[in-house]
Amino acid sequence: MLTWPKGLLQLVLLHTAWKMGSGQLHYSVLEESQRGTFVGRIAQDLGLEVSDLVPRMFRMLSKGEKDYFEVNVQNGILFVNSRIDREELCAKNADCVVHLEVIVEKPLRFFHVEVEIKDINDNAPIFSEREQILSIAELITSGTQFLLEGASDADIGTNALLAYKLSPNNHFSLDSGTDEDESKSIVLVLNIALDREESPVHHLVLTATDGGEPKLTGTVQLVIHVLDVNDNPPVFNQAVYKIKLLENTASGTLVTDLNATDLDEGINGEISYFFSNKLPLNFKNTFSINSNTGEIRVIGKLDYEDIKFYELQIVAEDKGSSALSGHCKLLIEVLDMNDNIPEVSVNSLSVPLPEDDTPGTVVAIISASDKDSGTNGQVSCFLWPTEQPFRLVSTFKNYYSLIVGAPLDREEVAEYKIVVTVQDQGIPPLSSSISLLVPISDVNDNAPAFTQPSYTVFVKENNPPGAHIFTVSASDPDVAENALITYWIDEKLWPLSSYISVHSENGKLYALQPLDYEELKLLEFQVRAKDAGLRSLCGNVTVQVFVMDENDNAPAVSRRNEENLILLMVPVMPGHIVGKIHALDADSGYNAWLSYELVEESSGPWAVGQYSGEVSTKYSLDGSEGSKIQSVLVLVKDHGKPQLSATATLSVSLVTNTHAIKTDIHLPRSGESFMPLVDLVNIYLIIAICSVSSLFLLAILIYVALRCHCKAKETMVYGPGTATLVCASEVGSWSYSNRQSHILAGVSAEAGAKSDLMIFSPNVPVSVNNGEFMNGTEMPPDSAKEHNFIGYFIFIDKFIL
């Protein structure tokens, strides 16, 4: 091995770096450079910070079998790692390049680096044998040429450019002119005819010198035997034959038919053909020659990718006693065919891919190659199916980046199967494919959603504590913790924790205490659902819980009916109203609809209004009636199921003159006009009837006003306050309650009733099953059209008769 001076090595070492395509660098280094020889500052030339090489997982891959180069990640310098023999690596190829691939991550980038291996003159010319033996007949005329086997030099370029020199002699000289194929043939020229008797053997030295610096030489001994008689050698009709053959030509195909002639006669003119002994063995295994006819045929496999050019030395020799020979050169060019399928491989793949990755994100780096040349080796790469959020971008030559081309959504497609196909441009085109599986990882981009914007729930009062009244359910299309939902009640506006609770995992709503319709009619609140993602998302739904009345309150009769004695002066006409029973029921609806009837035992001359509670006479009464004080027993019943009742006793005293009236009855003073008790009662009745009529008229006016107001305002604000259900009917009136009831609306910021009298036409339907309200039943809003109401619900704070 030659040792190069340090200064000369620095002058010879070429360091050139430039960027091509998506990041190609080109360096050059001399072969046989010592380990550690500087090649280039690869980190600087690639635009990378030296401090980022380790964090970004800088790595370099070599396509060859050996790692000739290595990068110092501490300073970013590319240096020689092992001995490089250009002749071993690239043989006689003029371009000797080592391909390197550099990959860094965060973000993922790919670079292609080429290092050209420069030749040095480290191989001397070598002859195949130590001596060459020639037989030359005497009397051969001067100018006759004899082909010599030349030397070979493993180097290339000027280092392999050989010059030949013959040792001084009187008979021979060298002719190393250039053939048509620009390759030198060494020809020994006879200048002066030989005389066997003078000198039967000639010993010469042939020296080959290359063109390198310093020059290297090789020698061979030439032994020339002078023969007698046969003085005409065979001659080919042309010195060089050129043939083109397609690769993969079938075995047995005729290449050419050589033709040589000999001017001698008889056996001295018979010619045999054969390959030169210096022909490489693989050439002899690929072609055959017929020794008698000179036909050359293919006997092996021609492969353009292995050998593109064959040079065959052919010898034609006569059969004279002193055989003479002629020579020619057969040059065979192998033509490329599209016989190699393109290859595609994945250099880097980053999966799974988060669904929120932006378009332009690199998913994989793909390389494609084809061993053919020309258009047969030009490849194109494409994806299948084409309708997908990915695309290929060409980075350098046959390197591609698979990038995100459109937004991703894991809830629509959880993973993609991508087929990458590479196809050459040969005729017919050849192709190959690989499949990539790209799973999409979930991010928390979907909030929990309820099936309905709101729920309406009906619950009968007097429910057991902790009763399950309804279940809300939300769904989240995300996965894992991003879809894990918890529920809670929003109590920012109203403290509902003493009434309602929700199970945090399954959304079940529970009534924590018995609900009392007379105390609470409506609970309106929001249930919120939150997922467990790192950036949690929420959804909410409004729940309206209507408390349904049950007949749990018996009618209550005012005790003033029994505390006072009613004085009735006789005679009295039939139908005369004696008094009225005052009764209340804390329930509502049918449960508070009261009817009155007399107990049979005490009916007598009395009658009571079924729905008004007014006690009147059935026929005329006079002083002949029996007892002066009579008791009227009235039974008050509601219409609930089960039916509840109460009794009231009315005491009536029949008087025939005003002197029998007790002293607590007002008598006119002197000078005042006397008003009979009957007229006083009638006046009270008239005043009561006018009051009720006025209230009824006022209720109608307010109802009309609220109906007009509701059309302009979609939602009604509810708040806590007193409320009692009142319904007008053809046969009577609901009784009125002065008990306190509330409506708690968790979605309203206003509280308190707006007025003492409010007519309410409910927009929430009531579901009736066999005359009873359904417990804990959600009713759809549209079902309100399917139910008929007896009247309008009137909510008032307090009613005073």
Side-chain angles (χ1 to χ4, degrees):
M1 180 185 299
L2 295 177
T3 302
W4 291 76
K6 182 177 181 181
L8 181 59
L9 180 61
Q10 292 177 348
L11 291 176
V12 175
L13 180 62
L14 300 177
H15 171 218
T16 57
W18 67 90
K19 290 189 175 182
M20 297 176 59
S22 64
Q24 176 181 345
L25 293 179
H26 186 90
Y27 298 101
S28 62
V29 66
L30 293 176
E31 66 170 326
E32 305 294 343
S33 295
Q34 295 182 356
R35 187 178 186 276
T37 299
F38 173 86
V39 179
R41 300 184 182 276
I42 188 170
Q44 177 180 343
D45 295 337
L46 292 177
L48 302 174
E49 294 295 333
V50 175
S51 59
D52 293 340
L53 296 183
V54 174
R56 295 186 64 183
M57 300 178 66
F58 178 95
R59 59 188 183 275
M60 184 178 69
L61 305 176
S62 175
K63 290 188 175 181
E65 298 179 356
K66 296 182 179 180
D67 293 329
Y68 293 108
F69 300 95
E70 188 173 347
V71 176
N72 187 337
V73 295
Q74 304 301 323
N75 54 23
I77 292 178
L78 178 68
F79 62 91
V80 176
N81 185 45
S82 62
R83 174 180 173 271
I84 306 175
D85 187 352
R86 195 205 64 79
E87 289 73 30
E88 178 184 350
L89 183 64
C90 301
K92 296 290 288 185
N93 291 335
D95 295 326
C96 185
V97 177
V98 176
H99 296 276
L100 305 175
E101 295 176 352
V102 176
I103 299 175
V104 293
E105 297 184 358
K106 302 176 183 178
L108 181 65
R109 294 190 63 190
F110 175 83
F111 304 91
H112 184 72
V113 180
E114 295 180 350
V115 181
E116 182 180 2
I117 309 302
K118 295 290 187 178
D119 183 50
I120 63 173
N121 192 24
D122 59 341
N123 292 280
I126 298 176
F127 290 91
S128 60
E129 295 181 355
R130 298 183 62 182
E131 65 178 18
Q132 296 184 20
I133 300 176
L134 298 177
S135 297
I136 301 177
E138 63 179 352
L139 300 180
I140 291 180
T141 60
S142 61
T144 303
Q145 297 181 349
F146 302 93
L147 179 66
L148 300 178
E149 296 292 337
S152 61
D153 195 325
D155 298 321
I156 61 171
T158 57
N159 294 331
L161 185 60
L162 303 182
Y164 294 89
K165 182 180 178 181
L166 190 64
S167 60
N169 67 90
N170 296 326
H171 295 277
F172 299 95
S173 64
L174 291 178
D175 181 8
S176 56
T178 301
D179 291 335
E180 296 179 8
D181 63 340
E182 300 182 356
S183 65
K184 291 185 177 181
S185 299
I186 310 305
V187 177
L188 183 67
V189 180
L190 180 64
N191 295 326
I192 300 174
L194 299 176
D195 187 356
R196 188 191 63 81
E197 288 73 25
E198 178 182 353
S199 179
V201 178
H202 295 268
H203 296 276
L204 304 176
V205 176
L206 179 62
T207 302
T209 305
D210 63 22
E213 290 294 335
K215 297 182 181 297
L216 302 178
T217 61
T219 60
V220 65
Q221 295 288 329
L222 298 181
V223 179
I224 302 173
H225 297 276
V226 180
L227 303 179
D228 199 15
V229 182
N230 190 17
D231 56 354
N232 289 289
V235 177
F236 287 94
N237 56 358
Q238 60 185 83
V240 177
Y241 295 86
K242 292 184 178 180
I243 301 295
K244 293 183 178 181
L245 290 177
L246 290 173
E247 65 173 328
N248 299 328
T249 298
S251 179
T253 301
L254 177 65
V255 178
T256 187
D257 188 357
L258 300 178
N259 183 25
T261 59
D262 194 319
L263 298 178
D264 294 327
E265 293 182 355
I267 194 171
N268 292 329
E270 294 181 6
I271 299 174
S272 295
Y273 301 89
F274 54 87
F275 291 126
S276 170
N277 293 330
K278 308 307 177 184
L279 198 67
L281 180 61
N282 60 329
F283 285 21
K284 293 180 179 180
N285 293 332
T286 306
F287 300 97
S288 66
I289 186 170
N290 188 312
S291 61
N292 296 323
T293 63
E295 291 182 350
I296 297 179
R297 295 182 180 274
V298 177
I299 60 172
K301 179 181 178 182
L302 297 180
D303 192 346
Y304 175 86
E305 288 70 40
D306 289 341
I307 301 177
K308 302 176 178 60
F309 186 81
Y310 292 89
E311 181 178 335
L312 306 180
Q313 296 287 346
I314 312 299
V315 178
E317 188 178 74
D318 61 27
K319 298 181 180 180
S321 57
S322 299
L324 299 178
S325 62
H327 68 278
C328 73
K329 187 182 296 183
L330 177 60
L331 305 179
I332 300 175
E333 180 182 358
V334 180
L335 301 180
D336 183 42
M337 293 180 63
N338 192 25
D339 60 341
N340 288 282
I341 298 175
E343 298 178 354
V344 59
S345 61
V346 178
N347 297 80
S348 180
L349 179 63
S350 299
V351 293
L353 194 64
E355 63 175 318
D356 60 349
D357 270 356
T358 57
T361 301
V362 178
V363 181
I365 295 177
I366 298 171
S367 62
S369 61
D370 194 316
K371 293 180 180 179
D372 294 321
S373 63
T375 57
N376 295 331
Q378 296 177 4
V379 297
S380 58
C381 202
F382 55 89
L383 298 179
W384 184 91
T386 56
E387 297 79 10
Q388 57 183 331
F390 299 97
R391 59 189 181 94
L392 281 177
V393 176
S394 178
T395 54
F396 170 75
K397 289 185 178 179
N398 293 332
Y399 288 89
Y400 299 85
S401 294
L402 179 65
I403 65 172
V404 178
L408 304 173
D409 190 351
R410 189 207 63 82
E411 287 69 42
E412 292 185 3
V413 182
E415 66 179 15
Y416 292 88
K417 185 177 182 181
I418 303 173
V419 178
V420 181
T421 301
V422 59
Q423 179 176 289
D424 61 27
Q425 299 183 15
I427 300 176
L430 302 177
S431 63
S432 64
S433 302
I434 60 171
S435 296
L436 300 179
L437 190 64
V438 181
I440 307 301
S441 60
D442 183 52
V443 297
N444 192 23
D445 57 347
N446 291 278
F450 289 90
T451 56
Q452 297 180 201
S454 64
Y455 295 96
T456 301
V457 183
F458 293 87
V459 181
K460 286 186 177 182
E461 64 175 332
N462 302 322
N463 57 279
H468 172 226
I469 60 174
F470 193 65
T471 301
V472 294
S473 177
S475 60
D476 193 321
D478 294 321
V479 296
E481 66 275 1
N482 295 333
L484 184 62
I485 298 176
T486 57
Y487 302 88
W488 80 95
I489 294 177
D490 188 358
E491 296 191 65
K492 293 180 180 179
L493 300 178
W494 293 98
L496 302 175
S497 58
S498 62
Y499 294 97
I500 299 292
S501 70
V502 63
H503 195 283
S504 61
E505 296 181 0
N506 55 31
K508 290 186 177 181
L509 293 174
Y510 297 94
L512 300 180
Q513 63 181 12
L515 301 177
D516 190 352
Y517 174 83
E518 289 71 39
E519 296 290 340
L520 182 67
K521 288 182 171 55
L522 171 65
L523 286 173
E524 185 170 358
F525 52 90
Q526 280 192 344
V527 176
R528 303 180 73 83
K530 179 176 70 174
D531 58 33
L534 291 180
R535 185 179 61 85
S536 61
L537 302 176
C538 294
N540 58 74
V541 68
T542 299
V543 180
Q544 291 180 325
V545 178
F546 286 89
V547 181
M548 299 175 62
D549 182 49
E550 285 193 319
N551 193 25
D552 58 345
N553 291 281
V557 179
S558 174
R559 304 316 303 172
R560 64 180 180 175
N561 296 315
E562 300 180 1
E563 291 175 358
N564 298 324
L565 179 64
I566 298 176
L567 301 179
L568 182 62
M569 292 186 297
V570 294
V572 178
M573 298 299 294
H576 180 79
I577 296 176
V578 177
K580 185 173 182 178
I581 302 300
H582 298 276
L584 297 175
D585 195 315
D587 296 321
S588 64
Y590 277 95
N591 296 330
W593 184 17
L594 303 181
S595 62
Y596 303 85
E597 63 182 45
L598 294 176
V599 179
E600 294 183 1
E601 297 81 14
S602 60
S603 60
W606 312 106
V608 62
Q610 183 180 2
Y611 299 105
S612 64
E614 295 176 346
V615 178
S616 62
T617 58
K618 291 193 296 184
Y619 52 82
S620 298
L621 297 179
D622 53 23
S624 62
E625 283 299 321
S627 175
K628 297 299 181 182
I629 299 178
Q630 298 188 18
S631 295
V632 181
L633 184 60
V634 179
L635 180 64
V636 183
K637 298 187 296 182
D638 58 25
H639 285 69
K641 291 184 180 181
Q643 193 174 60
L644 302 179
S645 62
T647 59
T649 303
L650 186 65
S651 298
V652 181
S653 177
L654 303 179
V655 296
T656 57
N657 55 65
T658 57
H659 298 287
I661 300 175
K662 293 182 179 181
T663 58
D664 60 347
I665 302 301
H666 172 70
L667 295 177
R669 295 195 183 110
S670 176
E672 294 180 357
S673 60
F674 175 78
M675 181 180 290
L677 178 60
V678 175
D679 295 335
L680 252 140
V681 173
N682 290 336
I683 291 174
Y684 290 153
L685 289 177
I686 292 173
I687 293 173
I689 292 173
C690 290
S691 299
V692 172
S693 301
S694 300
L695 288 175
F696 180 76
L697 181 60
L698 179 61
I700 294 298
L701 293 176
I702 295 176
Y703 169 75
V704 174
L706 289 177
R707 291 290 289 181
C708 295
H709 177 68
C710 289
K711 291 181 179 179
K713 187 176 181 181
E714 294 182 358
T715 60
M716 181 179 295
V717 179
Y718 299 99
T722 61
T724 300
L725 189 62
V726 178
C727 180
S729 131
E730 295 179 357
V731 297
S733 301
W734 303 117
S735 61
Y736 303 102
S737 171
N738 59 356
R739 294 187 61 180
Q740 297 288 327
S741 68
H742 298 79
I743 299 175
L744 295 182
V747 295
S748 172
E750 300 181 13
K754 297 300 182 181
S755 64
D756 290 338
L757 180 63
M758 180 176 69
I759 299 175
F760 174 57
S761 178
N763 56 2
V764 180
V766 178
S767 176
V768 180
N769 185 13
N770 296 328
E772 296 184 357
F773 293 104
M774 297 176 66
N775 187 24
T777 305
E778 178 200 356
M779 298 298 296
D782 293 339
S783 64
K785 300 178 181 178
E786 301 176 4
H787 300 279
N788 296 322
F789 294 91
I790 297 177
Y792 298 101
F793 293 99
I794 304 175
F795 291 91
I796 63 174
D797 288 338
K798 199 175 286 186
F799 178 82
I800 302 175
L801 182 60

